[in-house]
Amino acid sequence: MAVFDTPRPRVSRLVVTGAAGVIGTALRGRLGHLAEEIVLSDLADVATEGAEISRPCDLTDLAALRALLRGGGDVLHFGGQSVEAPFERILNANLIGLYNLYEAARLEGVRRVLFASSNHAIGFHERETRLDASAPTRPDSLYGVSKVYGEAMARFYHDKFGVESLILRIGSCFPEPKDRRMLATWMSVEDMIRLIERMVRAPKLGCPIVYGASANAEQWWDNREAAYLGWTPQDSSERWRAAREAEQPDLDPDAPEVRFQGGAFCAMPHPDDAGDPS
Ligand code: NAI
Ligand code: 15L
């Protein structure tokens, strides 16, 4: 029987963390068909649309996260430190915060989590290497290391406690690709929503790793191991190719930011040396 022969009914609750961020903002008002109640959460109150409600919560506060997740349902976890930063910031938002998220999910009966991992968990693979879900991690930053930790946490809570997760190694989810690298890594918001729909409705999710890129002409990643989800990205970065290539005509193929999948993150200094890159 195909996995979607018996789709899951609308879930009771869908909690979105990081709701004030780039992706959370783009999802605003667009998930109402998936759940009875949409709960948007970030450090401060966020504007809501329709039946959405706002519930601020700091990821470093386990008791507050337990209160946020009380009632179960599914979680789209987009909250946290989203670029390279001094270790202290990574520690709080992405290491302690991620532990708290999964521990609250376990204790409050959450069924499914979308964990927003990143291409920076595998950023030091060369661009010519086509990666699938079995590829070894090669983080390109302390931020990327925190995503590898998050992926391990997702798998541990699945294997031992039955909390299902979609581990989404997002490429670059923005309204449009900002540079030549993003012609390969770009993921449209519409393709993100299509994937969230498959995740919420799948009768069984398990704990797949999915690379988050649209159907771009240039492809670095292979999602065949998660084909059972039936997610088929439909957008493409090609319409921006001419503009992005004109802006960056002469890239050195041996420069680390061009050679490796993680781009500029591969060439950043240690974030605890002088200065704060974020
Ligand atoms: P963003 O930085 O725009 O949003 C992150 C949100 O998390 C912010 O609104 C921030 O206030 C919130 N946050 C930070 N620390 C928090 C804490 N301690 N408690 C509660 N909330 C906290 O990031 P964006 O671009 O929306 O990305 C969302 C997620 O997806 C992040 O986890 C990021 O690492 C991941 N991702 C995003 C990509 C993209 O292209 N946008 C690519 C790869 C991964
Ligand atoms: C990420 O993980 C970041 O959250 C996002 O801001 C982009 O830098 C993206 O990766 C990317 O690699 O383009």
Side-chain angles (χ1 to χ4, degrees):
M1 185 175 76
V3 82
F4 277 88
D5 283 358
T6 317
R8 214 167 156 232
R10 219 161 167 243
V11 286
S12 54
R13 290 181 103 220
L14 192 55
V15 178
V16 183
T17 68
V22 171
I23 296 176
T25 301
L27 296 176
R28 188 106 20 105
R30 302 193 60 182
L31 302 172
H33 58 299
L34 291 174
E36 306 295 331
E37 182 180 51
I38 305 286
V39 182
L40 304 181
S41 186
D42 208 292
L43 285 166
D45 255 322
V46 297
T48 56
E49 288 185 27
E52 295 168 345
I53 60 169
S54 171
R55 292 272 307 277
C57 175
D58 190 325
L59 295 165
T60 61
D61 182 343
L62 176 58
L65 259 175
R66 285 196 65 173
L68 178 71
L69 301 192
R70 201 150 293 146
D74 293 357
V75 176
L76 307 179
H77 182 52
F78 292 109
Q81 177 61 34
S82 66
V83 289
E84 182 66 314
F87 182 65
E88 182 85 16
R89 299 240 307 258
I90 302 277
L91 172 67
N92 286 315
N94 291 9
L95 302 188
I96 295 172
L98 213 279
Y99 170 75
N100 287 345
L101 189 279
Y102 274 100
E103 189 55 359
R106 176 180 78 90
L107 294 170
E108 301 300 338
V110 164
R111 293 276 316 280
R112 286 184 187 170
V113 176
L114 184 154
F115 168 54
S117 184
S118 170
N119 70 88
H120 298 290
I122 47 83
F124 262 123
H125 284 282
E126 306 222 11
R127 292 190 188 186
E128 291 78 10
T129 313
R130 193 169 172 94
L131 304 180
D132 64 15
S134 305
T137 54
R138 291 185 75 169
D140 57 27
S141 48
L142 289 180
Y143 165 68
V145 171
S146 77
K147 293 300 186 181
V148 173
Y149 159 91
E151 293 187 1
M153 195 66 84
R155 192 158 304 282
F156 169 62
Y157 272 82
H158 171 259
D159 292 349
K160 184 159 265 188
F161 306 113
V163 179
E164 296 182 297
S165 279
L166 191 154
I167 297 170
L168 180 58
R169 288 181 179 162
I170 305 169
S172 308
C173 187
F174 297 104
E176 61 181 63
K178 297 176 182 177
D179 56 26
R180 277 180 68 173
R181 170 179 167 275
M182 289 192 193
L183 295 171
T185 59
W186 184 64
M187 180 183 200
S188 72
V189 172
E190 285 68 29
D191 281 332
M192 173 72 82
I193 292 170
R194 289 182 190 106
L195 179 59
I196 292 169
E197 288 171 351
R198 301 310 279 188
M199 170 198 145
V200 169
R201 290 180 174 151
K204 180 171 163 48
L205 177 66
C207 191
I209 291 174
V210 177
Y211 289 91
S214 282
N216 305 321
E218 204 178 324
Q219 290 283 335
W220 299 343
W221 304 318
D222 175 348
N223 275 328
R224 273 178 297 185
E225 287 182 42
Y228 69 91
L229 286 176
W231 176 58
T232 311
Q234 290 173 24
D235 294 320
S236 167
S237 62
E238 266 320 276
R239 74 189 128 129
W240 288 283
R241 179 172 292 280
R244 296 300 97 95
E245 288 185 348
E247 288 159 10
Q248 293 179 289
D250 300 313
L251 295 180
D252 172 5
D254 295 322
E257 52 270 51
V258 179
R259 190 172 150 208
F260 299 112
Q261 299 194 0
F265 283 57
C266 297
M268 285 175 181
H270 194 290
D272 289 313
D273 290 347
D276 177 352
S278 61

